[in-house]
């Protein structure tokens, strides 16, 4: 099974500053057939289901503010918030969907305001 | 608009089974697969499996494959999750979630863009 490891577990960032979350997969999740990386990012606020932010590692879901960006390839990926806003306080998860039949999530990163 | 409405909270005893429903509306039911994801109290997300509503094909996480069953009823556009032999470790919120718009007719599990509100399943003696 592909293991997804996120870092850090939590981070506190001042309002307006950048937050960066990392996600590493235990094996490459880059498909040679379509040259895409099968990685998604979610945001989960307390008491709510997760919200999809990105898929194919860097394709932004409709309606996601452009202060959110995502990048990476192979085994190393990141999610950045360029200017943290109060509404961005949440737990963020990465998820690989490379392995048909067994999707896996990272452990989550809690983003708070410093 | 797209809606996934799940059944209400359940309390079960160890060893019992639970069946959670996910009633969908607002889109073509057979165009998109449905995943089930759970979240234990204060913990992260765990993927249980996926069903292709187009033909009923399923993928289950290895951890659950001997005690989970997912079904889809096209007449009522409802998906069901049944989990057997419950233990206290199965206490969690269970979510159904749909494949994203750009992944219609996918033959394998995908990320999810629309989620149900969650169903709390509590396993306690």
């Amino acid at each position: 099974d592909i293991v997804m490891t996120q870092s850090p577990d939590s981070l506190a960032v001042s309002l307006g500053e950048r937050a960066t979350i990392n996600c590493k997969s235990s094996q490459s999740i880059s498909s040679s057939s379509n040259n895409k990386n099968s990685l998604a990012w979610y945001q989960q606020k307390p008491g709510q289901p997760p919200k999809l932010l990105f898929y194919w590692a860097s394709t932004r879901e409709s309606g996601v503010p452009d202060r959110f960006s995502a990048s990476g390839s192979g085994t190393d990926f990141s999610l950045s918030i360029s200017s943290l806003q109060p509404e961005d306080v949440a737990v963020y998860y990465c998820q690989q969907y490379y392995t048909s039949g067994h999707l896996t999530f990272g452990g989550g990163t809690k983003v708070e305001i410093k | 608009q797209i809606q996934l409405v799940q059944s209400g909270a359940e309390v079960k005893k160890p060893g019992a089974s639970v069946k959670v429903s996910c009633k969908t509306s607002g889109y073509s039911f057979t165009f998109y697969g449905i995943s089930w994801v759970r979240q234990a109290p204060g913990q992260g997300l765990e993927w249980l499996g996926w069903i292709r509503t187009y033909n009923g094909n399923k993928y289950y996480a290895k951890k659950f494959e001997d005690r989970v069953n997912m079904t889809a009823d096209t007449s009522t556009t409802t998906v069901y999750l049944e989990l057997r032999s419950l233990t206290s470790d199965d206490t969690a919120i269970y979510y159904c979630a749909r494949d994203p718009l750009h992944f219609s007719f996918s033959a394998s599990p995908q990320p999810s863009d629309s989620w149900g509100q969650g169903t709390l399943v509590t396993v306690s003696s």
Side-chain angles (χ1 to χ4, degrees):
Chain A
D1 294 353
I2 297 178
V3 177
M4 307 301 291
T5 303
Q6 286 185 233
S7 61
D9 292 337
S10 65
L11 75 162
V13 175
S14 301
L15 286 173
E17 296 299 305
R18 173 178 290 270
T20 300
I21 300 165
N22 300 301
C23 175
K24 189 175 184 67
S25 57
S26 60
Q27 65 185 72
S28 175
I29 54 174
S30 178
S31 173
S32 56
S33 63
N34 61 7
N35 203 31
K36 291 183 177 180
N37 293 275
S38 301
L39 185 99
W41 286 99
Y42 297 87
Q43 174 194 65
Q44 187 180 31
K45 297 181 180 180
Q48 296 184 17
K51 173 187 174 183
L52 180 65
L53 299 177
F54 292 89
Y55 54 93
W56 295 131
S58 61
T59 301
R60 186 182 289 108
E61 180 75 343
S62 176
V64 174
D66 60 8
R67 65 179 179 275
F68 289 89
S69 63
S71 64
S73 183
T75 61
D76 292 287
F77 302 90
S78 64
L79 172 71
S80 289
I81 310 170
S82 61
S83 175
L84 191 74
Q85 301 301 305
E87 60 268 31
D88 302 333
V89 170
V91 180
Y92 294 83
Y93 295 92
C94 61
Q95 179 198 39
Q96 68 80 18
Y97 51 100
Y98 178 81
T99 308
S100 288
H102 200 142
L103 276 58
T104 46
F105 289 94
T109 296
K110 187 174 186 179
V111 174
E112 300 172 306
I113 294 173
K114 186 187 294 182
Chain B
Q1 74 280 22
I2 298 165
Q3 285 195 304
L4 288 78
V5 179
Q6 299 183 223
S7 49
E10 302 265 9
V11 179
K12 296 293 183 180
K13 294 202 181 302
S17 298
V18 69
K19 193 168 187 176
V20 179
S21 67
C22 172
K23 167 68 176 170
T24 72
S25 60
Y27 70 96
S28 296
F29 180 69
T30 57
F31 284 20
Y32 300 90
I34 296 284
S35 287
W36 287 91
V37 174
R38 75 178 186 180
Q39 187 167 36
Q43 302 301 307
L45 303 170
E46 183 172 33
W47 184 82
L48 283 78
W50 177 89
I51 183 166
R52 190 181 186 194
T53 54
Y54 176 73
N55 58 10
N57 283 356
K58 304 157 198 179
Y59 288 91
Y60 297 146
K62 289 191 186 73
K63 176 179 177 180
F64 301 102
E65 61 186 8
D66 59 345
R67 61 188 187 102
V68 71
N69 188 36
M70 297 175 188
T71 53
D73 185 340
T74 56
S75 67
T76 60
T77 66
T78 301
V79 180
Y80 298 90
L81 166 73
E82 181 181 28
L83 191 61
R84 301 179 293 273
S85 303
L86 294 169
T87 72
S88 58
D89 289 341
D90 294 315
T91 294
I93 297 173
Y94 289 75
Y95 294 102
C96 60
R98 196 203 75 162
D99 289 354
L101 180 67
H102 300 293
F103 292 79
S104 59
F105 286 112
S106 175
S108 61
Q110 302 298 335
S112 302
D113 74 345
S114 300
W115 294 67
Q117 82 276 19
T119 296
L120 176 61
V121 175
T122 303
V123 183
S124 173
S125 55

